[in-house]
Amino acid sequence: MKKNLFSSIYQAEKTSKKKIRSGTFKWLNSAAEDGFTSNKNLIDLQNIKIIPRILSKNQNITLKSKVFGTEIDCPIILCPMGHQTQFSQNGEISTAIGSYEEKILSFFSTQGRIGFDQIRKKVPNLKMIWQIFPFGKKEWIESQIKIAEKNRSLALCFCFDASVRSHRYIERETNYDARKYGKRLFPVSPDPSQALQYDWEFLRWAKQKTSLKIIPKGLINLNDINKCVNLGIKNLWISNHGGRMFNSGITAVDILKKIQHLRGKNTIFVDGGVRKGSDILKYLCLGANYVGIGRPAMYGLINGGSSGVSKIFKILKSELKTAMYNGGFKSYKDMRIDRLIF
Ligand SMILES: Cc1cc2nc3c(=O)[nH]c(=O)nc-3n(C[C@H](O)[C@H](O)[C@H](O)COP(=O)(O)O)c2cc1C
């Protein structure tokens, strides 16, 4: 472990800015149009207050859980993120090694530069999940499902909220094209235009093609969530893609408040705007089972490769535990919405 990499997520962001080309850093932090939704993710979390409690006899905190037939140590997970070799030479492999050091459930995507099988070879014991963008005909999707199955993906995630490239004002100004930077060991998806041709039949079809549990990512509409539930999909990923794709103004906080009835029945994944331990605690009180880390993991990768990634998770884990000790939380049972003020 490299010493003195950084001591907070905020510092990691600042120092990573100095370590890579300015266009790449701006691309990492950029979001749809003027970035309103991306900022809103941070603001909505910031605006929630947590009600602490005293004398909770909470010396023995437990954060273990079981999902997809395996035990997970903590609810902090790595979001799927594409194009990681822009940030560090070995991109997804370094991220996977760093995540493995902290035993983090990790997602990798078909928009990445290194394939799932290549990552699996380097990190044989990482608990990981392959995410497929619907950027090709069904035969191609099926080939990716087979890769996931063969390489012990714990489930199968689909990205449904990024059909076309968004307009990002920052990228227009810098004229930065992420596809031109960083090495590529995994071929580009065959036909992104397919994404606009699929409807709900796609999920019914996918369910029949695999015994892996399906996690649709990008759910931010209550009707869509209900449709998933009616299709028997138990795992739901509430996300606005870090505000990078659609400047909707809707955040995961808005939606989690409205799906309290699914607590205990469905497994809820969430992401967007997490920069500190108390943010994670807020999402957990809102009913999330797993909380995804996006950009911060890449700040870690830029700063120190795999060591930087593991340091990010180490910091967040420690901050979450400390927030639990000082806030009077012992376990998931204490994480209820009535511990929050909006
Ligand atoms: C560089 C980058 C690449 C991303 N690529 C993907 C992707 O391939 N699939 C996906 O579902 N989301 C992708 N996302 C969105 C993240 O999975 C996640 O939803 C978002 O980053 C969470 O917000 P945060 O960055 O504030 O933590 C990407 C985000 C970033 C920053």
Side-chain angles (χ1 to χ4, degrees), residues 100-160:
Y100 178 65
E101 278 171 25
E102 287 301 312
K103 297 192 169 47
I104 296 293
L105 176 64
S106 302
F107 288 72
F108 295 95
S109 112
T110 52
Q111 288 299 95
R113 299 293 180 78
I114 302 181
F116 197 65
D117 45 350
Q118 293 159 300
I119 301 170
R120 172 55 81 215
K121 251 186 224 141
K122 296 279 182 198
V123 195
N125 296 318
L126 176 64
K127 293 184 179 175
M128 60 182 202
I129 293 176
W130 192 218
Q131 184 200 51
I132 304 174
F133 274 59
F135 282 1
K137 292 207 180 352
K138 295 238 176 99
E139 302 84 75
W140 179 76
I141 309 277
E142 236 181 303
S143 71
Q144 293 307 313
I145 294 176
K146 290 211 171 91
I147 288 172
E149 288 170 342
K150 199 171 156 209
N151 291 282
R152 291 179 284 117
S153 185
L154 290 172
L156 197 63
C157 184
F158 284 103
C159 178
F160 288 130

Side-chain angles (χ1 to χ4, degrees), residues 223-237:
N223 285 331
D224 289 347
I225 292 170
N226 285 337
K227 278 186 184 160
C228 286
V229 171
N230 291 337
L231 277 175
I233 292 171
K234 292 248 179 248
N235 301 284
L236 309 166
W237 194 320

Side-chain angles (χ1 to χ4, degrees), residues 27 79-82 109 131 133 217 239 241-242 271 273 275 294-295:
W27 181 82
C79 289
M81 278 172 284
S109 112
Q131 184 200 51
F133 274 59
K217 179 173 180 283
S239 169
H241 210 115
D271 67 41
R275 302 293 180 268
R295 294 177 184 93

Side-chain angles (χ1 to χ4, degrees), residues 242-276:
R244 292 171 74 80
M245 301 314 296
F246 182 47
N247 211 8
S248 64
I250 299 177
T251 65
V253 169
D254 292 325
I255 298 307
L256 286 176
K257 281 195 239 172
K258 296 185 175 160
I259 57 167
Q260 294 297 307
H261 58 287
L262 298 181
R263 282 180 98 128
K265 294 186 202 134
N266 289 74
T267 303
I268 309 288
F269 296 77
V270 74
D271 67 41
V274 172
R275 302 293 180 268
K276 45 196 191 275

Side-chain angles (χ1 to χ4, degrees), residues 9 76 276 293 312-320:
I9 308 303
I76 303 171
K276 45 196 191 275
I293 307 304
I312 291 286
F313 287 120
K314 219 186 258 301
I315 289 172
L316 288 173
K317 272 184 187 175
S318 166
E319 289 183 1
L320 171 61

